[in-house]
Amino acid sequence: MITVAATAANTTTTISTLLAIATSFLLLLITSSPTTPKSSNYHTLFLSTSLSSNVSISNHLQALTHSPHIASSEANSQAANYVLKVFTSSNVPSHMASYHVLLSYPLSRSLLLTTTPQEPPFSFSLKQEPYKGDPYAAVSGEVVPTFHAYAKSGTAEGPVVYVNYGRVEDYLSLRKKMGVNVSGCVVLARYGKIFRGDIVKNAYDEGAVGVVVYSDRKDYGGGDDDGGRWFPDSKWLPPSGVQVGSVYQGTGDPSTPGWASSGGDGECERLTKEEVEKEGDVPLIPSLPVSGADGEKILRSIGGPVAEHDWQGSKDAPTYRVGPGPGILNLTFKGQENIASIQNVIGVIEGAEEPDRYVILGNHRDAWTFGAVDPNSGTAALLEIAQRFGKLQKQGWKPRRTIILCNWDAEEYGLIGSTEWVEENRELLASRAVAYLNSDCAVGGAGFNAMATPQLDELIKKATQQVTDPDNSSQSLYEAWTSSGTSPLIIQYTTHCMMISSGCRNLEILCFIGMLQLNVKNLEDEISNKDINLSPILKSIKELEKAAIKINDQRKEIEASKGWRTWKEYQMKVRDVNDRLMMAERAFTDRDGLLGMTWHKHLIYGPTKNNDYGSQSFPGIGDAVRVAKNLQTAESWHRVQHEVWRVSRVIKHASLVLIGQLT
Ligand SMILES: *[C@@H]1O[C@H](CO)[C@@H](O)[C@H](O)[C@H]1NC(C)=O
Ligand SMILES: *[C@@H]1O[C@H](CO)[C@@H](O)[C@H](O)[C@H]1NC(C)=O
Ligand SMILES: *[C@@H]1O[C@H](CO)[C@@H](O)[C@H](O)[C@H]1NC(C)=O
Ligand SMILES: *[C@@H]1O[C@H](CO)[C@@H](O)[C@H](O)[C@H]1NC(C)=O
């Protein structure tokens, strides 16, 4: 479905702005019908401070984040009850949607560094230091030890090699430029650029036996720009701070791929540990995250060639070399994987005109630690939105479509709570969901950004034009955004949702066509002088353009015309156009998904094979081209052509849906 993720900032003052933005999306989507003459009044009221002050949202954030609340902990269950209570008391009928899923926790960890055979190995403490005066020091003991969720249990020992960000191109440099082979080594990678699960997978593919990932000062520690300061004096990670996270490459409960972990424990089909490993999404070598300080200590033990310039750290860091060795790392991780109970909280405000069309607003609640920014700045906004909807309902407002508020659990482990719910409700969502708006990390520093499927560009523009810049009341957020130097180019968002797609009346499908043409142009450049025929895509884009112009005209006709014979006839027309727009994005998906990433169904944009955080256009073609350039075989180029055909087919499907006629 159409997805939007919005982030606003400037800690306390902007949280209500985010909420306003979030709601602008909803109201634009929901109440833009002429059947609700007073909708603009409700809209204004919704955005006004008269409904409530910033105190309630601040209290929500406090209530959600007073203790560490990792998925399936008692504290997270209490937070779920809090969300349920706020929804319910806002007159939003709500319930828990619980699942039993495979989660992973650390049992024991150790990391030893041998610098010279004469000396005994150095043992890292693997502890994060609370800072002096930390008001939450008393509960810091409840924080789970730093680890990589779903890391392989075991010991790995070998000479250490520094691999920069652990990307495919970094290994290529190591091999081709520096003559370093990481086979049998423990690699040291720095966080950033790519998803940590891909750091581990890429290392495994290169023959490494273990992976240590650290947060480099240059990227996370104030670097050279902020005088080397860190939290609480600045926003940067302290030297002992460690980024915890999942290294699972799939989506949803690894033991129930493609179906919901519903019912009590033991009541649904579940893969064995061996079968889970065969699926290929859990790592097969152990890994550990470490702090910037520990990473630097390991770097000092590495000799060999000096790493290239952009592999280096901040000014006062030691010179980074790539190894292998002479430092030897011995890494041991023992994890416990067990079936645990998680709770999503679901609230439903039934639509007055189209109760069977869903606009979904969601965010997760679970956090590795306290989760003040990620995710609960977004959950606090979600709760504030629920309360404002409650107040609007008291004044007679009803949404046009059904609004579903979702508070997900176990997102940090791999989008588990949302995925299980979607898997369970797949059929209804596939036919009824109009759009999904996500508000993770809603507040976290200055500036505004949003990511969405390209069809929502115009909507985001309109919404930000209606919101006042929290730092300068004489301009709109849109103006602040455009004048900030970062053009409001809306980045395509890789939807992890299985039910990709959909649309709404405000959808501008036409600019999407320009984007498609540009993608083909880029592709042409990339495969010039290869015998690949791109005309099927060009032809399908032409058809799509015609279909888009046609539906745009139909939309304008509906908006302009006042002389409908009956109200019913008008409603049917609107519904028909909306449905076709909604289905168009779904048409870009393909049941078989992307090769090697079958979970991702969208063939126009998606993640790249070696970076789940990345996004690219025509991801299937892009990956096929990379493979073909590497192998240079007729067969591999033939696969590129196959991917070209696949893309041209989904574009054709989209135009057929827009036209709304059978062939
Ligand atoms: C609420 O807003 C006022 C005025 O902008 C500000 O002074 C105050 O610090 C804010 N309170 C919270 C809890 O964010
Ligand atoms: C790296 O070393 C391993 C083990 O010695 C060897 O099997 C592999 O072929 C080497 N890889 C390259 C690219 O040379
Ligand atoms: C690595 O360290 C562990 C102790 O944490 C030890 O049991 C193991 O023997 C070491 N591995 C090697 C290969 O020395
Ligand atoms: C506030 O916005 C107005 C209108 O865009 C602009 O002229 C003014 O310079 C801004 N003020 C500050 C302090 O940035």
Side-chain angles (χ1 to χ4, degrees):
M1 68 197 87
I2 287 181
T3 55
V4 184
T7 303
N10 180 324
T11 337
T12 40
T13 46
T14 359
I15 195 152
S16 51
T17 308
L18 164 81
L19 138 84
I21 296 156
T23 321
S24 300
F25 289 129
L26 283 179
L27 292 179
L28 279 165
L29 285 164
I30 298 154
T31 60
S32 55
S33 147
T35 62
T36 48
K38 276 194 279 173
S39 68
S40 63
N41 294 353
Y42 287 127
H43 194 161
T44 310
L45 184 60
F46 193 96
L47 296 178
S48 76
T49 46
S50 70
L51 269 198
S52 69
S53 73
N54 57 2
V55 174
S56 57
I57 197 164
S58 167
N59 289 344
H60 292 322
L61 190 56
Q62 282 286 342
L64 291 165
T65 62
H66 58 72
S67 315
H69 52 286
I70 192 170
S72 96
S73 64
E74 176 57 28
N76 200 37
S77 162
Q78 281 169 13
N81 286 329
Y82 179 81
V83 172
L84 184 70
K85 199 180 82 196
V86 175
F87 279 2
T88 308
S89 62
S90 307
N91 208 13
V92 177
S94 306
H95 63 276
M96 298 275 192
S98 301
Y99 299 94
H100 287 87
V101 301
L102 185 74
L103 298 183
S104 124
Y105 301 92
L107 278 183
S108 70
R109 312 155 304 147
S110 89
L111 185 64
L112 305 174
L113 175 66
T114 309
T115 44
T116 61
Q118 292 79 28
E119 282 172 62
F122 175 83
S123 175
F124 291 94
S125 76
L126 305 175
K127 280 199 180 115
Q128 304 189 89
E129 301 297 328
Y131 63 91
K132 208 163 162 256
D134 178 356
Y136 295 95
V139 284
S140 67
E142 293 169 25
V143 172
V144 171
T146 53
F147 79 122
H148 279 156
Y150 303 108
K152 171 89 176 167
S153 287
T155 292
E157 192 181 66
V160 52
V161 176
Y162 170 56
V163 297
N164 197 23
Y165 296 104
R167 297 167 297 186
V168 170
E169 59 264 38
D170 294 327
Y171 288 104
L172 203 67
S173 289
L174 278 171
R175 260 189 273 123
K176 296 257 159 87
K177 291 197 204 150
M178 290 171 255
V180 175
N181 180 347
V182 303
S183 179
C185 297
V186 173
V187 301
L188 176 72
R190 50 178 171 185
Y191 271 116
K193 310 289 184 201
I194 63 172
F195 168 57
R196 74 184 80 67
D198 291 311
I199 297 179
V200 178
K201 177 66 164 51
N202 294 344
Y204 172 78
D205 288 346
E206 295 286 329
V209 293
V211 185
V212 173
V213 191
Y214 78 104
S215 306
D216 196 290
R217 248 192 303 160
K218 189 173 165 194
D219 303 304
Y220 299 95
D224 298 325
D225 309 327
D226 202 14
R229 293 177 309 141
W230 52 78
F231 191 82
D233 301 319
S234 97
K235 67 175 181 181
W236 300 104
L237 195 66
S240 79
V242 179
Q243 185 194 118
V244 173
S246 177
V247 285
Y248 168 52
Q249 290 190 294
T251 303
D253 181 349
S255 69
T256 63
W259 66 91
S261 312
S262 48
D265 189 10
E267 286 178 30
C268 77
E269 183 189 359
R270 211 173 273 286
L271 301 187
T272 62
K273 192 174 167 53
E274 290 69 33
E275 287 167 330
V276 167
E277 288 195 349
K278 245 194 232 146
E279 287 281 307
D281 292 327
V282 293
L284 299 175
I285 50 173
S287 66
L288 269 184
V290 301
S291 68
D294 291 353
E296 216 165 283
K297 183 166 174 77
I298 298 168
L299 277 159
R300 287 178 199 278
S301 79
I302 303 176
V306 171
E308 42 194 281
H309 178 72
D310 57 358
W311 289 38
Q312 297 296 331
S314 45
K315 275 193 230 113
D316 52 348
T319 299
Y320 296 175
R321 294 171 179 271
V322 296
I328 293 175
L329 277 178
N330 172 341
L331 173 169
T332 303
F333 174 74
K334 195 153 179 263
Q336 182 181 5
E337 295 189 357
N338 47 317
I339 304 296
S341 169
I342 60 164
Q343 288 109 24
N344 299 323
V345 188
I346 310 288
V348 180
I349 305 175
E350 194 168 301
E353 288 173 44
E354 293 187 287
D356 62 343
R357 287 291 175 268
Y358 305 153
V359 174
I360 306 168
L361 176 52
N363 183 36
H364 72 106
R365 180 185 66 254
D366 65 299
W368 291 122
T369 58
F370 295 90
V373 172
D374 171 6
N376 290 308
S377 58
T379 296
L382 188 71
L383 294 177
E384 180 73 16
I385 288 170
Q387 288 184 316
R388 289 185 182 217
F389 279 154
K391 287 175 186 168
L392 283 192
Q393 287 192 79
K394 280 206 178 120
Q395 303 199 18
W397 169 79
K398 286 192 180 109
R400 173 192 168 92
R401 299 179 175 126
T402 292
I403 297 173
I404 305 181
L405 304 176
C406 304
N407 189 229
W408 310 121
D409 203 348
E411 184 269 1
E412 295 289 4
Y413 278 88
L415 309 179
I416 291 182
S418 56
T419 301
E420 299 312 306
W421 187 78
V422 168
E423 285 171 341
E424 189 161 40
N425 297 288
R426 171 161 36 199
E427 306 313 324
L428 278 182
L429 291 170
S431 64
R432 298 181 172 183
V434 173
Y436 177 72
L437 172 62
N438 198 53
S439 64
D440 199 355
C441 302
V443 179
F448 170 81
N449 75 72
M451 295 188 285
T453 44
Q455 290 87 333
L456 283 181
D457 288 4
E458 279 305 306
L459 182 68
I460 294 176
K461 235 158 93 180
K462 280 184 198 150
T464 51
Q465 280 164 347
Q466 290 169 24
V467 176
T468 308
D469 174 8
D471 297 322
N472 182 348
S473 58
S474 51
Q475 65 181 7
S476 70
L477 188 64
Y478 180 75
E479 287 162 321
W481 189 18
T482 42
S483 64
S484 68
T486 57
S487 90
L489 182 76
I490 292 148
I491 303 153
Q492 300 151 30
Y493 186 58
T494 306
T495 169
H496 282 274
C497 194
M498 221 169 141
M499 342 281 325
I500 312 156
S501 108
S502 118
C504 67
R505 300 186 53 201
N506 307 39
L507 178 147
E508 297 291 336
I509 201 153
L510 279 166
C511 56
F512 182 62
I513 288 163
M515 188 203 96
L516 286 178
Q517 282 161 339
L518 188 69
N519 293 343
V520 177
K521 179 83 195 48
N522 293 341
L523 193 58
E524 266 170 5
D525 296 344
E526 212 182 322
I527 57 168
S528 58
N529 73 44
K530 290 289 169 216
D531 195 18
I532 301 294
N533 178 10
L534 293 180
S535 61
I537 300 195
L538 291 169
K539 186 159 169 268
S540 64
I541 294 176
K542 281 227 168 67
E543 286 170 23
L544 183 66
E545 190 172 12
K546 274 191 227 148
I549 290 170
K550 193 165 170 201
I551 197 161
N552 231 15
D553 289 346
Q554 289 171 341
R555 192 189 76 180
K556 282 187 202 141
E557 214 173 278
I558 292 174
E559 280 166 355
S561 165
K562 296 180 181 68
W564 296 104
R565 273 175 300 167
T566 62
W567 177 234
K568 178 115 187 142
E569 187 186 331
Y570 171 81
Q571 280 184 313
M572 295 289 278
K573 286 268 180 200
V574 170
R575 171 87 172 196
D576 170 52
V577 169
N578 273 341
D579 274 1
R580 280 186 275 141
L581 289 170
M582 182 175 95
M583 295 307 295
E585 180 98 27
R586 288 162 164 73
F588 292 124
T589 63
D590 182 277
R591 190 169 316 169
D592 297 333
L594 299 174
L595 190 76
M597 294 184 290
T598 54
W599 177 256
H600 294 283
K601 309 290 184 192
H602 208 289
L603 299 194
I604 307 300
Y605 31 78
T608 60
K609 190 82 175 285
N610 302 103
N611 178 18
D612 201 43
Y613 282 170
S615 167
Q616 66 172 348
S617 306
F618 302 155
I621 302 178
D623 275 329
V625 167
R626 260 188 298 284
V627 171
K629 281 190 167 170
N630 209 0
L631 300 180
Q632 292 292 2
T633 58
E635 200 188 337
S636 62
W637 283 107
H638 184 71
R639 213 200 105 213
V640 174
Q641 186 67 58
H642 170 64
E643 293 293 334
V644 166
W645 280 112
R646 289 183 77 201
V647 168
S648 70
R649 284 195 287 269
V650 294
I651 297 176
K652 180 171 179 184
H653 292 164
S655 40
L656 290 175
V657 165
L658 283 178
I659 291 173
Q661 277 168 7
L662 296 169
T663 57

